[in-house]
Amino acid sequence: MKQSTFCWLIRLYFWSLIILLAVFVKPPYDFMAFNTFLGYLPIEIGMLLRRFNDCRALAFWVLLVIWLLFYPNAPYVSTDLFHLSWLHPHTNVTGILKTDPVMWLIFAMMLVCALSCLILGTISLDHTTRQFTQLTSPHHPRLQYCWLVLFMLTASTGIYIGRFLRLHSIYLLFTPSWFFKQLWGIWSWPTVEFILILTGMQLIVYWLLKLTQQASKMI
């Protein structure tokens, strides 16, 4: 499949998903459309970034910074799964789940949104770090893994900020001084533990994607 065809399939998929969420999902789950849109943005920016293969181009650096600012939104969507508790899915204290089709539909849609943003976001991370490494240090390809872990740590920090401080990436663009002032006060050992756990989750997803690629070549 051509790269351009792949990119347009991704766009069509996300646009259709976001429109369906916006039209059919009712409160309190109407946030899903906006969060999925935010999770899609770094994927779109990552696809645009591939057009610039010269690190001397200003557009490359501008897009890279914007991608880095918005990338945490992709794995962030997976934390929305905690909101499934609003459905009160158990029939009683024995732990048996309800068979309510509306409940299972919301579960399926939230899971699809979380997996879509997490998996395609991780692919975007892989491509972006590889491109960045090839353009800035072509003789040291293994540096990609250093950038990969660093960006994952940054993303996990962004998820913490978004989940517990309720701040979006957009604040960093318009009120950076206030944003960083909020950031300085978050650090504690539970914060570090959260960041390490979410980074570990991203690393496992990345490894599974690589494992899947290798398995597909063997079939």
Side-chain angles (χ1 to χ4, degrees), residues 157-158 160-161 165 167 178-187:
T157 304
Y160 183 93
I161 294 169
L165 300 184
L167 300 179
W178 177 81
F179 184 90
F180 283 112
K181 186 177 180 181
Q182 300 298 312
L183 183 60
W184 301 143
I186 70 171
W187 297 102

Side-chain angles (χ1 to χ4, degrees), residues 29 42 62 84 112 114 153 175 178 188:
Y29 290 97
V62 171
L84 288 168
V112 166
L153 286 168
T175 56
W178 177 81
S188 63

Side-chain angles (χ1 to χ4, degrees), residues 13-23 33-34 36-38 40:
Y13 168 74
F14 270 104
W15 294 345
S16 301
L17 179 61
I18 292 167
I19 291 172
L20 286 172
L21 291 170
V23 172
F34 182 63
T36 302
F37 170 73
L38 290 177
Y40 158 68

Side-chain angles (χ1 to χ4, degrees), residues 113-174:
C113 293
L115 290 176
S116 299
C117 292
L118 183 59
I119 293 174
L120 294 173
T122 303
I123 293 173
S124 177
L125 174 65
D126 182 37
H127 289 173
T128 301
T129 52
R130 187 187 307 118
Q131 180 184 4
F132 180 72
T133 304
Q134 289 173 348
L135 293 179
T136 57
S137 50
H139 300 297
H140 303 282
R142 292 188 180 276
L143 276 177
Q144 179 197 358
Y145 300 109
C146 295
W147 292 116
L148 196 81
V149 173
L150 179 61
F151 289 168
M152 286 181 177
L153 286 168
T154 303
S156 298
T157 304
I159 295 170
Y160 183 93
I161 294 169
R163 182 52 67 193
F164 299 108
L165 300 184
R166 307 305 297 167
L167 300 179
H168 290 294
S169 304
I170 200 72
Y171 288 102
L172 187 55
L173 294 177
F174 294 104

Side-chain angles (χ1 to χ4, degrees), residues 161-217:
I161 294 169
R163 182 52 67 193
F164 299 108
L165 300 184
R166 307 305 297 167
L167 300 179
H168 290 294
S169 304
I170 200 72
Y171 288 102
L172 187 55
L173 294 177
F174 294 104
T175 56
S177 59
W178 177 81
F179 184 90
F180 283 112
K181 186 177 180 181
Q182 300 298 312
L183 183 60
W184 301 143
I186 70 171
W187 297 102
S188 63
W189 181 243
T191 303
V192 174
E193 289 180 320
F194 176 90
I195 291 171
L196 291 177
I197 290 170
L198 268 291
T199 301
M201 178 193 75
Q202 293 176 77
L203 282 169
I204 290 172
V205 172
Y206 176 79
W207 178 76
L208 287 173
L209 286 173
K210 289 296 182 181
L211 192 65
T212 303
Q213 290 177 1
Q214 291 299 320
S216 64
K217 295 178 182 178

